[in-house]
Structure formats: C-alpha cells, structure tokens
Amino acid sequence: MTPHIRPDLADVPAYVPGKNVPGALKLASNETTDGPLPGVAAAIAEAAAGVNRYPDNGAVELTSELAKHLDVAPENIQTGCGSVTLCQNLITIATRPGDEVLFAWRSFETYPLATRVAGATPVQVPLTEGRVHDLPAMADAITDRTRLIFICNPNNPTGTVVDSAALHDFMARVPSNVIVALDEAYYEYVRPTEAQRYDAVELHRRYKNLVVLRTFSKAYGLAGLRVGYAIADPAVTNALLKVHVPFSVNSLAQSAAIASLHAKDELLARTDSVVAERERVTSELREAGYNVPASQANFVWIDLADDTTRFAQEAMDAGVIIRPFAGEGVRVTVTHAAENDRFVAFARDRASR
Ligand SMILES: *Cc1c(COP(=O)(O)O)cnc(C)c1O
C-alpha cells in the first residue's frame, strides 16, 4: 500500500535549484565567486573542531552582534537556517489552511511553494510592464483572508526595486495586523536613486507588522552554511522562535556569520565591483538588443518570452549555466568580469546570428 501522504501535496513541485555541471560556469544561483575571507575560513575551521556539541539554539552571540550592527534590540532578531526557512516559518506562524499569502509574480519561487506546503492559498499579483512590484495593485488584492504579504526588494528574478514613496503608501494601506515580509536578500547590492532610498530598519520601527528578511548567503558569501535573519517586532520574533527547528542554525554558520560581521567592510567592498559589472553587463546586453530591466541585485533579467528555453539550452551548450523561467526570461548572475564576459560573448554572438 502507498503511505498516507496529504493528497494536496501531489501537485506541489519540489524546489528546483540551479544546475551544477562539472566544468561549466554556473551563473544560475546568485552566488559569489569569491570564497570566504581567511579570517572567516579560520572561524569555520575553529568551529569545526567543536561539532560534537550542539550549536547554541538561541544563537545568542550572533544575535547580539546583529543587534549591534543594526541598532536594534536582540529581541528584534530571529536567525534561521537561511532566510528561506524564515519565509517558511513566517507562513507557518501567520496562516492556517485557506488563509491567503499575497506576493508579486514573477518573484521568488519559495513563496508559492512554501505557501502551498502550509496549505494556505497563494495570491499572485503580476509585476508591471517594467517588471516592478505593482504595489497599488497588491494593496487592492488584500482581502479579509490575507495573513502575510511578501515584498521581494530587489525582486528575484527581475532585479527591480520599488520606489520608496510607493512602499510607504503601501504600508499605510496594509491593515496593521497583516504581516509584511520585506525580503531584502540582495540588500547589500542596492545603490538606490533618491526615489528608491528607504531604511527598512527604520520602517520596521514605524510599522510593527513589517518583518525585514536578510541573509548571509548572497553578499556575505556564505550560501553553503545556511544562515539568515529576520528583523521584527518581538511579537513576531517570539512566534518565529516557537516554530524554529531546534539547532537548525549550525555552529559553523553561527561562527562564520559573526566573523563575517567583523569583516563587514571588506566583504561589502566586494559588492562595488559586482555593481560596476552589473551596469556594464546591462548596457552591453541592451546594446546587443536585449530587453534588460535595471537591476539592483547581483544578477540581471533578460526578457525572452518563448525563446527562453532555447536560449538557456544554447548558453549551456556554450558552457554557461543560467536560470530559465520558461516562457518569460532568464536570470543571469553577475560576478567577475572574466565570468561575465563569457556570458556576454555568448549573448552577443547569439543576437548577431
Ligand atoms: C537567495 C534568496 C533568499 C535567501 O536564501 P537563503 O540562502 O535561504 O538565506 C531569500 N530570498 C530571496 C529572494 C533570495 O533570492
């Protein structure tokens, strides 16, 4: 007999990670190409010597370092096994089956998957023509079943950001008992225009229902260790702690994250070259005739509609793995000039054929 498994899981797909192919250049998962700094590698090695012990379940030292760096109280921080887990845990604390989770589409794949796993109902509001969150339309889509709203800024996979005024107007329209998760996984890569500038930590003081999500996986280069954090009102962090899988933020991750915060300036300096490359790659792709929205993340989006799957396959044949979203476009990670050049050369060559 087949085991009893919730029938509604049958048509929920598993998360599809970026492909790894030996010898190919992977620009599919928004990782950094640089490995950990020597001091961070040393902290990991030191923590490795103690893995016979359970990690600190409260991540007390990391939480207090984060609180200091962000100028909030430790009670305002909850760490998680990657911010992906915090997305899941927010859905767990906010929804029961039938409740609605609202987000833009296309956006981060985890939102619909985790919503359906929880038995809640995803409500997707299309991005604008320019591939930006349509915040007024999202506010219009709030119902009395809405329990949680994700705003992904910059948006994965389009790289676009919202205007600060639009975000403020949106927050003013959201009922104060509906949690808004502002997913800032790519925060460190943002170089906002005046109109795009806002301070999420400040905003969370004003709106107690705002939860800011950040991660050590992207600009901090610790994707393999799995650690992210939420900045929120204690009412939310306390609930997040209740659904936290015990010991899921491992001791290597905690030590590496603390060491990375101490090396913050050096790590964040790396983002400047990615930002410069992002602008170069964007303009070269546009010159070649591609439709590329302005990105504020460490990746660019190319609108390709029906050509998407073939484009990604041909890139793969040329030794570059990118992330296709069938029928829509591709997302390409921006890293070092030499790596970016391999992709740009492929894209140019293809456009000229
Ligand atoms: C990469 C990413 C995350 C976080 O990833 P973790 O590795 O789980 O911290 C969260 N949100 C978005 C939009 C991302 O792209």
Side-chain angles (χ1 to χ4, degrees):
M1 275 199 295
T2 51
H4 282 300
I5 288 174
R6 273 169 45 192
D8 61 318
L9 274 187
D11 59 350
V12 177
Y15 181 82
V16 183
K19 285 195 183 111
N20 271 307
V21 177
L25 170 61
K26 187 185 178 197
L27 300 178
S29 298
N30 303 339
E31 298 149 328
T32 56
T33 290
D34 298 310
L37 293 172
V40 175
I44 294 169
E46 196 184 323
V51 293
N52 50 312
R53 304 291 177 189
Y54 279 105
D56 171 7
N57 192 48
V60 172
E61 193 183 345
L62 173 57
T63 301
S64 118
E65 283 290 335
L66 281 167
K68 253 194 295 181
H69 279 263
L70 296 161
D71 193 23
V72 297
E75 294 72 39
N76 292 117
I77 307 272
Q78 176 61 46
T79 58
C81 176
S83 57
V84 151
T85 305
L86 292 164
C87 293
Q88 280 185 338
N89 289 352
L90 282 170
I91 295 168
T92 304
I93 66 165
T95 71
R96 287 192 291 195
D99 288 339
E100 293 174 357
V101 178
L102 180 63
F103 48 89
W105 201 249
R106 180 166 284 278
S107 189
F108 191 35
E109 306 255 48
T110 288
Y111 307 152
L113 293 181
T115 298
R116 291 172 67 191
V117 166
T121 304
V123 176
Q124 307 184 164
V125 175
L127 299 171
T128 66
E129 277 292 285
R131 307 285 181 257
V132 182
H133 275 62
D134 190 342
L135 291 176
M138 289 181 74
D140 290 342
I142 295 170
T143 73
D144 55 7
R145 301 305 303 264
T146 306
R147 293 292 176 274
L148 176 64
I149 304 171
F150 284 103
I151 306 287
C152 188
N153 202 56
N155 186 44
N156 177 1
T158 60
T160 52
V161 294
V162 297
D163 276 351
S164 165
L167 184 61
H168 280 89
D169 291 350
F170 177 79
M171 287 309 299
R173 282 187 63 190
V174 177
S176 61
N177 56 1
V178 173
I179 298 175
V180 177
L182 185 58
D183 187 343
E184 295 193 322
Y186 302 95
Y187 162 76
E188 295 86 359
Y189 293 105
V190 177
R191 302 293 182 272
T193 64
E194 220 26 69
Q196 294 164 343
R197 190 182 307 278
Y198 66 87
D199 180 343
V201 176
E202 199 47 54
L203 206 58
H204 118 280
R205 291 194 181 96
R206 177 141 151 229
Y207 294 101
K208 301 290 180 209
N209 55 329
L210 185 74
V211 178
V212 185
L213 296 177
R214 292 189 187 159
T215 178
F216 286 94
S217 295
K218 305 287 161 51
Y220 281 91
L222 298 180
L225 282 177
R226 319 301 309 124
V227 54
Y229 56 98
I231 309 161
D233 188 74
V236 174
T237 54
N238 286 337
L240 284 173
L241 185 58
K242 293 182 187 180
V243 301
H244 178 73
V245 173
F247 309 116
S248 56
V249 181
N250 71 72
S251 42
L252 274 60
Q254 292 186 34
S255 293
I258 293 164
S260 298
L261 285 173
H262 292 160
K264 190 177 173 187
D265 294 345
E266 200 175 338
L267 282 167
L268 294 188
R270 290 176 171 181
T271 61
D272 289 334
S273 63
V274 171
V275 168
E277 278 296 294
R278 170 179 83 205
E279 305 313 318
R280 178 182 74 91
V281 168
T282 300
S283 57
E284 297 200 3
L285 291 172
R286 284 176 179 167
E287 274 164 36
Y290 293 99
N291 188 10
V292 182
S295 171
Q296 289 282 1
N298 65 338
F299 55 83
V300 293
W301 169 263
I302 308 176
D303 278 323
L304 290 165
D306 293 342
D307 193 27
T308 297
T309 305
R310 251 182 44 208
F311 184 95
Q313 184 56 52
E314 288 176 27
M316 169 92 91
D317 295 343
V320 184
I321 308 171
I322 57 176
R323 189 65 177 268
F325 297 89
E328 296 176 57
V330 296
R331 189 192 69 200
V332 185
T333 306
V334 174
T335 65
H336 291 174
E339 294 190 349
N340 302 331
D341 280 342
R342 280 180 62 185
F343 173 72
V344 170
F346 157 78
R348 270 215 189 109
D349 176 56
R350 192 177 189 275
S352 67
R353 266 186 266 141

